[in-house]
């Protein structure tokens, strides 16, 4: 297991929510302040507090945005790159876990848990690590 995946799981065990655990695991690699990421991702846990989109998926989106955005406030030109990356990463996550919706993954209506929160954090971090490695090589 690679460093970022281990860090994501350690973060989650320390009490970070799923979004915080994933995003903060990549802070150093992205040259970002971990505390700022922690604060900005807080409301994305527990499926944005509503058991909607899985927090680990939201954490993936934050990392992709930080990696791909050109930061050009006057004329942003990188949204399509970010959207494409998230479409691919979301598809991988959904193929592995059968959903990207927290309440479905947790089996709230069905009683069938599809994946643990630790599992979702691990998957999101693993997919992100591969994506970042590939984009840095290419």
């Amino acid at each position: 297991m690679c460093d970022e995946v281990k860090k994501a799981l350690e973060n989650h065990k320390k009490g970070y929510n799923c979004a915080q655990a994933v995003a903060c695991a990549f802070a150093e690699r992205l040259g970002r302040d971990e505390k700022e990421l922690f604060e900005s991702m807080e409301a994305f846990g527990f499926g944005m507090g509503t058991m909607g989109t899985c927090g680990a998926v939201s954490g993936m989106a934050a990392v992709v945005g930080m990696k791909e955005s050109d930061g050009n406030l006057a004329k942003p030109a990188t949204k399509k790159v970010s959207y494409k990356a998230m479409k691919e990463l979301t598809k991988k996550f959904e193929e592995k876990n059968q959903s990207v919706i927290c309440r479905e993954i947790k089996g709230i209506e069905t009683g069938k848990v599809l994946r643990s929160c630790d599992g979702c954090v691990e998957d999101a971090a693993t997919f992100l690590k591969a994506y970042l490695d590939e984009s840095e090589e290419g």
Side-chain angles (χ1 to χ4, degrees):
M1 192 180 299
C2 70
D3 290 344
E4 284 110 344
V5 176
K6 284 182 193 171
K7 173 112 168 113
L9 288 167
E10 288 168 8
N11 288 345
H12 197 244
K13 287 182 187 352
K14 288 193 301 190
Y16 292 29
N17 69 37
C18 296
Q20 291 167 323
V22 171
C24 289
F26 292 88
E28 185 177 332
R29 183 170 183 170
L30 296 169
R32 304 295 177 127
D33 181 71
E34 185 172 348
K35 185 177 180 198
E36 283 186 30
L37 282 176
F38 182 88
E39 292 169 343
S40 66
M41 298 310 299
E42 187 153 302
F44 290 90
F46 195 62
M48 292 187 246
T50 65
M51 295 195 88
T53 301
C54 171
V57 174
S58 295
M60 277 197 309
V63 171
V64 167
M66 287 182 280
K67 167 71 173 125
E68 299 301 347
S69 178
D70 61 11
N72 186 339
L73 300 178
K75 191 173 182 191
T78 52
K79 290 183 285 192
K80 287 183 180 179
V81 174
S82 292
Y83 299 162
K84 182 178 185 242
M86 268 315 291
K87 183 176 181 179
E88 292 169 8
L89 289 168
T90 299
K91 181 180 178 192
K92 287 180 183 186
F93 188 93
E94 190 167 18
E95 284 173 354
K96 179 152 190 188
N97 298 300
Q98 303 171 37
S99 182
V100 296
I101 305 300
C102 180
R103 74 181 153 278
E104 293 174 3
I105 295 168
K106 297 287 113 214
I108 299 302
E109 285 105 25
T110 65
K112 179 185 175 196
V113 176
L114 302 175
R115 190 83 163 123
S116 68
C117 290
D118 276 347
C120 290
V121 166
E122 181 179 358
D123 295 342
T126 299
F127 297 146
L128 271 173
K129 164 93 168 77
Y131 173 76
L132 294 173
D133 288 350
E134 184 179 303
S135 68
E136 289 169 3
E137 289 172 8

